[in-house]
Amino acid sequence: MKHAFIFGTSIFLSRQNTLTYTDGDKSTEFLKVLAFYKHERGSEDQSLVIDANITTLSGEVIKISGNKLETGPSTVHVETDANRVWVFQTGHHEPVLDVYQLNEHEFHGLGSHIVNEIGVQQPDAVLTIKGNFKVDGAHFMIENEKMFINHNGFANGVENAHEGILLSAGEPTH
């Protein structure tokens, strides 16, 4: 099973279901997909379920286990849909973290290089990751067009991350 994770206009393909940040010395797993959304006719849908370990821009720890806020300030709450998990902070219009599993009818809205990779690689799940948060002090800003880690921008990349997705402020590594 291969999964596709999309950050802005970059796509990472991996058999692993984890996202890890590394500064070169230390690695921190900050997102793990525990269950992917699955719709089967005639039976109950399986919802997208994640664990996350991030901090707000002001340094407040947010720990999510099985889509539930385990640790975090009272200004943070989690919302879920069958194929989406949002983490919101009061007073902010955009989510701190947004994990969304696309269905195949939504692929047409993605960049051509991403659609091509999905067509060739045939991942079992395609997820978009967006947000504005920190991991071990590194600032992640992920929007529709780019991913920034500590102001270093990443765009239009394709990465086959066989051993799991490792992100750094320098370059994506695998």
Side-chain angles (χ1 to χ4, degrees):
M1 293 170 101
K2 189 179 284 190
H3 320 297
F5 296 91
I6 301 169
F7 304 88
T9 58
S10 295
I11 183 170
F12 295 79
L13 296 130
S14 179
R15 286 178 170 68
Q16 305 297 319
N17 57 344
T18 58
L19 306 176
T20 302
Y21 170 74
T22 184
D23 65 5
D25 295 323
K26 179 182 172 189
S27 295
T28 302
E29 182 181 292
F30 67 93
L31 181 67
K32 181 175 188 174
V33 178
L34 301 175
F36 292 94
Y37 169 72
K38 188 187 301 183
H39 173 74
E40 291 186 30
R41 195 171 209 133
S43 63
E44 189 174 333
D45 288 351
Q46 176 179 309
S47 292
L48 175 66
V49 181
I50 67 165
D51 284 351
N53 190 5
I54 59 176
T55 59
T56 65
L57 297 184
S58 58
E60 299 164 303
V61 173
I62 299 171
K63 184 170 184 172
I64 297 162
S65 296
N67 291 355
K68 305 282 187 235
L69 183 64
E70 188 174 294
T71 305
S74 61
T75 58
V76 171
H77 68 279
V78 177
E79 293 182 20
T80 62
D81 207 359
N83 63 337
R84 196 169 202 165
V85 179
W86 298 270
V87 179
F88 286 102
Q89 188 172 19
T90 303
H92 297 262
H93 296 295
E94 297 296 320
V96 175
L97 178 66
D98 179 0
V99 181
Y100 177 56
Q101 185 173 334
L102 300 162
N103 68 51
E104 68 256 10
H105 304 295
E106 296 172 301
F107 297 166
H108 70 277
L110 301 171
S112 61
H113 71 286
I114 292 175
V115 173
N116 291 340
E117 281 301 315
I118 291 169
V120 169
Q121 302 272 351
Q122 295 292 308
D124 59 309
V126 177
L127 293 97
T128 61
I129 313 292
K130 295 179 184 175
N132 192 7
F133 55 88
K134 288 187 175 183
V135 177
D136 281 344
H139 180 200
F140 282 71
M141 175 61 179
I142 310 163
E143 54 189 14
N144 291 334
E145 297 299 319
K146 284 195 177 183
M147 171 174 64
F148 294 93
I149 304 175
N150 286 344
H151 304 291
N152 292 325
F154 302 87
N156 298 318
V158 175
E159 186 78 27
N160 282 298
H162 301 292
E163 301 304 317
I165 299 168
L166 275 174
L167 301 168
S168 71
E171 290 197 21
T173 60
H174 57 279

